[in-house]
């Protein structure tokens, strides 16, 4: 096991959408355990730290890149007379928000792991609690959920939007370090078998109040801290 590793990041893919120096400052705030070298003219930067910390930074970079890819797809769809979207969008407060942040900061997007997003909504709903001047909406596409924060009132300002964005980001980082997911597949794809699994989950949930259970057609996802998730899964299998 290496106590410290070094990786070189290629930040050039973000230069058309972000000020790289500002983006790196954001990384430094989120990844205090990492040491960053100087930004090179070709967009490369060296990062040193523990392997888990670099893995977290890599995941954050992938989410950032995914958000840019989804933005390009939406803008391309709009230029072709806005065909029907495959993503599902639903508003968390009154109103909708369809575009990534503008230059003035009055629209912001936070890219989250979908499982973390579900956990936050269920156990930390106050994270998304805002006043009438702010609108929050979301788009889920598989493992990624993009949460949009936008000004809605004439008296609101960009600082309010940024505060909400930071609150969501800070909570997601805490959960990212703490949560684990276990997946239980249905052994029999028949209605009675699925009903038995779901009934067993509902019975166990009373003993594991911090575990989130999400049922799908073919499986059940169990999300929570490492020990409770493993215990819940063992109890389901017994």
């Amino acid at each position: 096991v290496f106590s410290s590793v070094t990786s070189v990041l290629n930040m050039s893919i973000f230069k058309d959408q972000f000020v790289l120096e500002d983006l790196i400052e954001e990384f430094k705030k989120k990844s205090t355990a990492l040491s960053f070298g100087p930004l090179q003219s070709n967009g490369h930067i060296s990062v040193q730290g523990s392997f888990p910390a670099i893995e977290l930074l890599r995941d954050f970079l992938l989410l950032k890149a995914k958000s840019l890819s989804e933005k390009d797809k939406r803008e391309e769809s709009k230029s072709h007379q806005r065909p029907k979207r495959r993503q599902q969008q639903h508003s968390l407060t009154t109103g909708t928000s369809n575009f990534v942040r503008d230059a003035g900061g009055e629209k912001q997007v936070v890219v989250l792991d979908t499982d973390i997003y579900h956990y936050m909504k269920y156990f930390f709903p106050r994270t998304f609690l805002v006043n009438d001047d702010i609108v929050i909406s979301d788009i889920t596409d598989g493992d990624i959920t993009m949460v949009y924060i936008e000004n809605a009132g004439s008296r609101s300002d960009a600082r309010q939007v940024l505060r909400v964005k930071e609150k969501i980001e800070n909570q997601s980082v805490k959960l990212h370090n703490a949560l684990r997911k276990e997946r239980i597949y249905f052994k029999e794809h028949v209605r009675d078998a699925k009903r038995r699994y779901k009934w067993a989950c509902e019975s166990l949930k009373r003993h594991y109040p911090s575990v989130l259970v999400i049922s799908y057609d073919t499986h059940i996802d169990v999300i929570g801290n490492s020990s409770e998730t493993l215990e819940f899964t063992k109890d389901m299998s017994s």
Side-chain angles (χ1 to χ4, degrees):
V1 178
F2 296 100
S3 60
S4 180
V5 294
T6 300
S7 178
V8 177
L9 305 179
N10 182 3
M11 305 294 296
S12 61
I13 62 171
F14 298 104
K15 65 181 181 181
D16 293 334
Q17 299 288 339
F18 299 98
V19 177
L20 293 186
E21 288 80 2
D22 292 345
L23 189 58
I24 290 169
E25 285 301 315
E26 184 179 354
F27 293 164
K28 290 179 179 179
K29 291 178 181 178
K30 289 181 176 296
S31 308
T32 55
L34 295 176
S35 176
F36 291 81
L39 179 65
Q40 304 298 320
S41 59
N42 59 0
H44 290 190
I45 184 172
S46 63
V47 183
Q48 186 177 35
S50 68
F51 185 72
I54 287 183
E55 275 193 315
L56 289 176
L57 178 60
R58 179 203 62 184
D59 292 342
F60 182 71
L61 278 170
L62 290 174
L63 292 177
K64 282 282 187 185
K66 175 75 172 177
S67 71
L68 296 181
S69 173
E70 292 300 327
K71 178 184 178 182
D72 292 340
K73 288 179 182 178
R74 287 194 301 277
E75 290 177 346
E76 181 180 350
S77 296
K78 183 183 177 183
S79 67
H80 289 84
Q81 297 183 355
R82 307 182 78 171
K84 185 176 180 181
R85 290 180 176 176
R86 287 185 298 172
Q87 300 100 324
Q88 180 181 4
Q89 177 173 339
H90 57 280
S91 175
L92 300 181
T93 60
T94 305
T96 58
S97 174
N98 298 321
F99 297 97
V100 181
R101 67 174 191 164
D102 60 16
E106 294 184 354
K107 297 176 185 176
Q108 295 282 341
V109 60
V110 182
V111 185
L112 299 175
D113 177 277
T114 297
D115 294 322
I116 290 177
Y117 174 65
H118 287 316
Y119 197 92
M120 287 174 66
K121 281 191 67 177
Y122 190 85
F123 287 106
F124 300 93
R126 292 182 63 86
T127 305
F128 302 98
L129 185 63
V130 293
N131 58 37
D132 293 337
D133 292 332
I134 302 293
V135 170
I136 299 182
S137 59
D138 66 88
I139 296 177
T140 295
D141 182 13
D143 294 334
I144 299 296
T145 293
M146 288 179 286
V147 179
Y148 296 87
I149 308 108
E150 180 183 8
N151 275 337
S154 58
R155 290 182 295 178
S156 60
D157 57 36
R159 289 174 298 177
Q160 287 182 286
V161 173
L162 287 172
R163 281 195 293 269
V164 174
K165 176 178 182 283
E166 290 173 359
K167 181 172 66 172
I168 294 173
E169 285 181 331
N170 291 338
Q171 184 63 64
S172 70
V173 169
K174 293 178 184 178
L175 294 177
H176 188 279
N177 296 330
L179 294 182
R180 172 176 179 156
K181 180 176 76 173
E182 292 288 340
R183 178 163 289 178
I184 303 171
Y185 287 95
F186 298 131
K187 295 180 180 178
E188 303 173 60
H189 298 292
V190 294
R191 184 176 300 177
D192 288 344
K194 294 179 182 179
R195 188 181 295 117
R196 287 196 298 271
Y197 273 103
K198 292 178 180 179
W199 179 84
C201 279
E202 289 299 321
S203 300
L204 285 173
K205 280 169 62 176
R206 291 176 294 178
H207 303 289
Y208 298 92
S210 299
V211 167
L212 177 64
V213 178
I214 305 176
S215 297
Y216 297 94
D217 289 338
T218 59
H219 63 274
I220 294 171
D221 282 346
V222 182
I223 305 167
N225 67 52
S226 181
S227 59
E228 287 197 342
T229 301
L230 286 174
E231 288 297 323
F232 188 100
T233 306
K234 287 179 183 178
D235 288 346
M236 278 288 297
S237 302
S238 61

